[in-house]
Amino acid sequence: MTMTTRALPLLLLVGGAPAWPVAPPRGRAPPPRGFLDGLLGTVEGLLSSDAVLPRDGDSPAMVALVEVFLEDASPGSRRALRSFLARRDRALSLDAFLEGDGDDAGGEVEALRLEWRAFRNVWRARVVSGSAAASWAQQDAFETYGDVYAIFPCEEDGLAECVRGGGVGNVAMLQGAVRPGAVEALRRHALAVRDAGDAGFGNILGPRDDTVAGAPQTRWDAFLDPRDDEVAAVVAELLRGPAGDALEDLCGGLDAPLRECAAIVATPGAAPQPIHADTTWTEAPVLFTCFVALQDIPPELGPTRFLPGTATKACHDALDDALVDEASPERAITDYCASRPSILALLEAGDATLYDSRLHHAGGPCVDGGDRALFYVSFGHAANEAYDAPPQRSLAPAVAKRGLTLGDLRRGAPAAS
């Protein structure tokens, strides 16, 4: 149950495969996974010490889901499942047993199956709605069964190609995109804007951990104004450098419209977000986003998790199908997560990441270390956007009315309101 970050040699573009630059985090160790164990529980801890652990045929997704189920299961259901798992010669998988296959019926076994089916139906609704319980299960699937890597910086002149990922999408990282002084000033400003609450907020995924009764809000999407001095300083430095060059390339030129200017703030206790893309699937890219870390982001502050190679129709279809899977969305979505390598954006203050809005990603759980703030700007593709009216994204209405473009912000001369 320990999160690991593994070194992986830089993959070259061979036979159309994307380059996924990854490396161990710079001088940082991942935190213990005790906080996940405490929340979800484990089969080993809830069953007897000599219980048989999950075997071949027990899918990772089913094991993870059973862990959640057992946390609130009745004593009789726990006994029935303990008895099943303790069989040295059991032939049935967990899935088959809980769904009612085999000869076991009646008594506590039948009660277990009824309780399981009720739980499964509630869980399906949680998965589709993106609840924190489903997000924790996805987080556990990634880190327990998936391959997890730390992000590694790209060459400055290769940022755009890294984002394209050989046509299937990737995330690019630029070290030191913004100076520490400018980052610190913007962090103070972003937190003050969040606290004041009068600049407007976006509709962020995972605003609170709804697995905890009465949990407070722990994640915000606070609109920022590029005219404010602290925002303008970071935008100017960011967009006049390699990140701006890459966005100009990716977005089809300087006429690319500003679609987002905000800060995502998470406090300790924030649950992970469900895996998602920022836009629905389109054949051509329509939006690109650049994050800037406003403080160091080690594992305990909830780094963004990116799934390289998922800006494709096949991956969007797979995730969409999992969410509405008739048999079991909860198993389908966690199987999807467990089968995908993921990259954690472990950043230092001033580092930036760039990605295509179609790439699957999610904010991580903020466990300790104070508020985590990420500034970001997004630009639509100058030619590929085909909206009668652009969708309202994370941009204050007053800022949206100015009609700002990438060119305006790269030149440092925002259009007048």
Side-chain angles (χ1 to χ4, degrees):
M1 296 290 289
T2 301
M3 186 186 78
T4 57
T5 52
R6 310 177 181 90
L8 182 73
L10 179 65
L11 301 178
L12 301 179
L13 285 172
V14 179
W20 296 345
V22 292
R26 288 168 281 166
R28 303 191 185 99
R33 280 287 301 283
F35 68 96
L36 279 179
D37 294 344
L39 179 67
L40 295 178
T42 62
V43 170
E44 296 94 320
L46 287 168
L47 301 177
S48 62
S49 59
D50 61 346
V52 177
L53 297 181
R55 298 180 177 181
D56 293 343
D58 296 340
S59 74
M62 173 59 81
V63 172
L65 193 61
V66 167
E67 292 173 2
V68 182
F69 168 70
L70 283 172
E71 188 170 65
D72 295 315
S74 67
S77 290
R78 290 190 185 186
R79 282 194 299 269
L81 190 55
R82 181 186 300 119
S83 176
F84 169 73
L85 289 177
R87 294 179 186 172
R88 302 291 177 181
D89 59 346
R90 70 178 176 95
L92 290 177
S93 66
L94 270 172
D95 194 343
F97 173 70
L98 289 171
E99 294 301 328
D101 294 340
D103 297 329
D104 294 305
E108 288 185 341
V109 170
E110 185 60 28
L112 163 65
R113 288 172 176 166
L114 290 172
E115 190 173 341
W116 165 257
R117 289 166 192 150
F119 167 82
R120 181 194 60 196
N121 291 338
V122 171
W123 187 261
R124 176 180 294 142
R126 286 180 173 177
V127 169
V128 174
S129 66
S131 78
S135 299
W136 279 115
Q138 293 174 35
Q139 168 87 2
D140 205 45
F142 280 123
E143 295 183 359
T144 304
Y145 305 107
D147 293 320
V148 183
Y149 306 102
I151 200 166
F152 189 79
C154 297
E155 296 293 334
E156 291 184 355
D157 60 359
L159 290 172
E161 285 308 307
C162 186
V163 171
R164 292 188 177 104
V168 296
N170 194 6
V171 56
M173 189 267 241
L174 176 64
Q175 278 184 301
V178 181
R179 292 172 295 108
V183 162
E184 292 168 7
L186 180 53
R187 185 176 191 276
R188 290 191 297 269
H189 178 70
L191 294 178
V193 169
R194 185 273 312 265
D195 293 342
D198 54 6
F201 295 98
N203 184 23
I204 195 167
L205 281 171
R208 57 180 48 81
D209 188 345
D210 58 14
T211 65
V212 179
Q217 183 168 354
T218 50
R219 198 185 301 270
W220 296 263
D221 183 32
F223 297 160
L224 297 176
D225 191 330
R227 282 181 165 175
D228 291 343
D229 291 343
E230 299 87 348
V231 183
V234 168
V235 167
E237 187 171 353
L238 177 69
L239 296 185
R240 292 175 188 174
D245 295 338
L247 285 167
E248 184 175 344
D249 182 348
L250 293 164
C251 295
L254 294 174
D255 291 335
L258 176 69
R259 294 298 183 216
E260 296 181 309
C261 181
I264 295 175
V265 180
T267 60
Q273 291 181 306
I275 199 69
H276 65 281
D278 292 334
T279 56
T280 57
W281 170 250
T282 53
E283 288 293 340
V286 295
L287 190 80
F288 291 90
T289 295
C290 182
F291 284 142
V292 177
L294 300 186
Q295 70 290 299
D296 291 354
I297 304 181
E300 60 268 21
L301 248 62
T304 306
R305 182 187 302 276
F306 294 94
L307 276 60
T310 56
T312 68
K313 185 177 188 301
C315 287
H316 277 243
D317 286 348
L319 185 58
D320 290 345
D321 289 346
L323 288 171
V324 296
D325 184 82
E326 291 185 1
S328 181
E330 63 277 1
R331 292 199 297 276
I333 187 63
T334 48
D335 273 339
Y336 177 84
C337 296
S339 69
R340 300 285 169 184
S342 63
I343 295 176
L344 293 181
L346 300 169
L347 306 175
E348 294 181 352
D351 290 349
T353 55
L354 292 85
Y355 67 96
D356 183 326
S357 65
R358 300 171 298 172
L359 194 72
H360 289 154
H361 62 282
C366 187
V367 183
D368 195 6
D371 292 335
R372 185 214 70 179
L374 275 173
F375 169 69
Y376 68 103
V377 287
S378 299
F379 295 90
H381 193 284
N384 294 344
E385 281 195 333
Y387 306 117
D388 294 331
Q392 182 61 46
R393 301 194 187 276
S394 295
L395 192 64
V399 177
K401 289 179 180 178
R402 297 176 204 158
L404 297 172
T405 66
L406 177 59
D408 293 328
L409 296 177
R410 292 204 77 182
R411 289 188 292 266
S417 58

